[in-house]
Amino acid sequence: MSAIPKDPVILLSFLNTKLRDSYSSLPALCDDLELDMNQLKEKIAAIGYTYDSDQNKFI
């Protein structure tokens, strides 16, 4: 998880941009980048956002 931003707000922007531009789902992003999906969700939840699979973004 070292190649992604550490700051949760910057991480949110990073993830939503990747999801919009390159990935059809959060599981696909996590598989490709070898990231732990639960850790990402927890970090983003700490700033009040959750993943919406229908919209394919954190809202």
Side-chain angles (χ1 to χ4, degrees):
M1 224 158 114
S2 62
I4 64 169
K6 302 285 186 219
D7 180 272
V9 176
I10 296 171
L11 177 60
L12 171 67
S13 177
F14 171 84
L15 292 172
N16 277 341
T17 299
K18 288 287 192 186
L19 289 166
R20 181 191 68 219
D21 295 346
S22 304
Y23 296 96
S24 61
S25 68
L26 183 59
L29 179 149
C30 290
D31 286 345
D32 189 47
L33 299 180
E34 299 179 355
L35 300 172
D36 183 299
M37 185 165 48
N38 291 327
Q39 282 184 338
L40 288 179
K41 285 181 172 182
E42 287 176 16
K43 274 189 143 178
I44 299 303
I47 58 169
Y49 289 81
T50 59
Y51 178 68
D52 183 306
S53 60
D54 292 333
Q55 295 184 47
N56 192 35
K57 66 179 179 179
F58 286 92
I59 55 172

